[in-house]
């Protein structure tokens, strides 16, 4: 025989026998509430989203979402977002004094090189040649009598010498630089004068009258540009002295021929 239970004691198993609802709940309320909780919301109504701190995304996700949205909009519209403004660099202005110093730094080495070239390497000195081989060729060809300048000062420098046979004869050309730094050419030729003079003096050559030099009669001519010439006409040869030198230097060279 079981002892009597106290009146306020709750049974261990609240489920009544025979599937009856608990005595402390109204009949049908538990089952209906569970069924109501399991019923899905209608299709035309949006599902409720829980609100509160947990539903707000973090700040970095919002930034990423905003950047992605901006990229999507730029891709759809074909526009690019404006680049950030550039800070203009401040250009330093050079003063005239700085420019003058820079130019002076460049000119000093050039001046030193030029002085070395002129002073030690003889940059202003013309290249001289020995006329003897060309004169010997002309004498060996025996095309015309050959004369040599004699008694000229050291200021006369030979810068070219060539003997050449041509269609109508032969030519011996010797170029000189006078003491005053002017150019003179001595031409001895067996080419007929009517062909030689137009070729050497051009159409500007005009006779200016005779002059006596060392017992010979020379003819003075004008030539191209500011040049002048002395012409000696002989049966076997024609001698020309032509250049931009002054008359006294032309006469000195003509009087030295032997």
């Amino acid at each position: 025989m079981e002892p009597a239970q106290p009146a306020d004691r709750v049974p261990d198993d609240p489920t009544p026998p025979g599937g009856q609802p608990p005595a402390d709940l109204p009949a049908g309320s538990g089952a209906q509430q569970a069924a109501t909780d399991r019923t899905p919301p209608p299709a035309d109504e949006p599902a409720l989203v829980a609100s509160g701190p947990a539903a707000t995304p973090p700040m970095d996700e919002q930034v990423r979402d905003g950047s992605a949205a901006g990229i999507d909009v730029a891709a759809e519209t074909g526009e690019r977002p404006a680049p950030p403004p550039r800070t203009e660099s401040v250009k330093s202005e050079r003063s005239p004094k700085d420019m003058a110093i820079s130019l002076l730094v460049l000119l000093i080495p050039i001046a030193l090189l030029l002085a070395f070239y002129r002073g030690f390497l003889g940059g202003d000195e013309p290249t001289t040649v020995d006329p003897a081989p060309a004169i010997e060729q002309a004498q060996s060809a025996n095309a015309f009598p050959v004369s040599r300048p004699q008694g000229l000062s050291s200021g006369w420098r030979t810068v070219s010498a060539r003997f050449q046979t041509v269609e109508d004869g032969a030519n011996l050309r010797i170029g000189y630089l006078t003491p005053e730094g002017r150019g003179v050419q001595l031409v001895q030729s067996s080419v007929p004068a009517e062909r030689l003079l137009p070729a050497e003096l051009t159409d500007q050559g005009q006779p200016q009258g005779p002059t006596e030099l060392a017992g010979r009669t020379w003819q003075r001519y004008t030539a191209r540009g500011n040049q002048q010439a002395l012409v000696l006409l002989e049966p076997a040869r024609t001698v020309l002295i032509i250049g931009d030198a002054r008359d006294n230097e032309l006469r000195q060279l003509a009087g030295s021929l032997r």
Side-chain angles (χ1 to χ4, degrees):
M1 182 175 179
E2 296 180 0
Q5 300 292 334
D8 55 353
R9 182 179 179 183
V10 180
D12 295 335
D13 187 4
T15 303
Q20 297 296 326
D24 56 349
L25 296 176
S29 60
Q32 293 177 358
Q33 183 67 29
T36 303
D37 295 340
R38 291 192 299 270
T39 303
D44 56 348
E45 294 184 4
L48 297 178
V49 179
S51 61
T56 303
M59 184 59 66
D60 54 350
E61 294 184 3
Q62 295 181 14
V63 173
R64 289 197 298 271
D65 294 341
S67 302
I71 295 174
D72 295 339
V73 171
E76 294 176 0
T77 59
E79 299 179 357
R80 290 188 173 182
R86 294 180 300 179
T87 304
E88 296 182 358
S89 59
V90 179
K91 296 182 179 179
S92 60
E93 297 181 358
R94 300 183 62 184
S95 64
K97 180 180 179 181
D98 296 336
M99 297 179 65
I101 293 175
S102 300
L103 183 61
L104 185 62
V105 170
L106 293 176
L107 291 179
I108 288 177
I110 296 176
L112 293 176
L113 290 175
L114 185 60
F116 178 78
Y117 175 72
R118 289 182 175 180
F120 295 93
L121 301 181
D124 290 341
E125 297 294 327
T127 302
T128 59
V129 299
D130 183 9
I135 293 176
E136 292 174 358
Q137 278 186 304
Q139 291 174 338
S140 299
N142 199 24
F144 51 83
V146 178
S147 298
R148 290 172 178 255
Q150 296 180 7
L152 293 175
S153 65
S154 59
W156 289 80
R157 287 163 290 186
T158 306
V159 294
S160 64
R162 182 179 64 175
F163 174 75
Q164 183 181 16
T165 58
V166 294
E167 181 180 356
D168 295 334
N171 296 327
L172 174 62
R173 298 177 181 272
I174 304 176
Y176 295 94
L177 194 64
T178 71
E180 295 184 0
R182 300 180 181 273
V184 176
Q185 189 173 79
L186 169 63
V187 180
Q188 302 179 63
S189 176
S190 61
V191 177
E194 60 272 12
R195 295 176 58 88
L196 180 67
L197 295 183
E200 299 293 333
L201 305 178
T202 70
D203 296 338
Q204 302 177 12
Q206 299 295 329
Q208 302 296 311
T211 183
E212 293 293 328
L213 295 170
R216 297 174 180 174
T217 302
W218 294 72
Q219 299 293 328
R220 298 169 53 248
Y221 274 81
T222 59
R224 63 175 68 88
N226 62 341
Q227 294 183 352
Q228 54 184 341
L230 293 174
V231 179
L232 177 63
L233 299 174
E234 294 181 343
R237 67 174 181 173
T238 301
V239 182
L240 287 87
I241 298 176
I242 180 173
D244 61 353
R246 293 191 299 178
D247 183 68
N248 64 321
E249 290 184 324
L250 296 180
R251 294 170 64 89
Q252 183 179 356
L253 178 59
S256 68
L257 294 179
R258 301 290 186 271

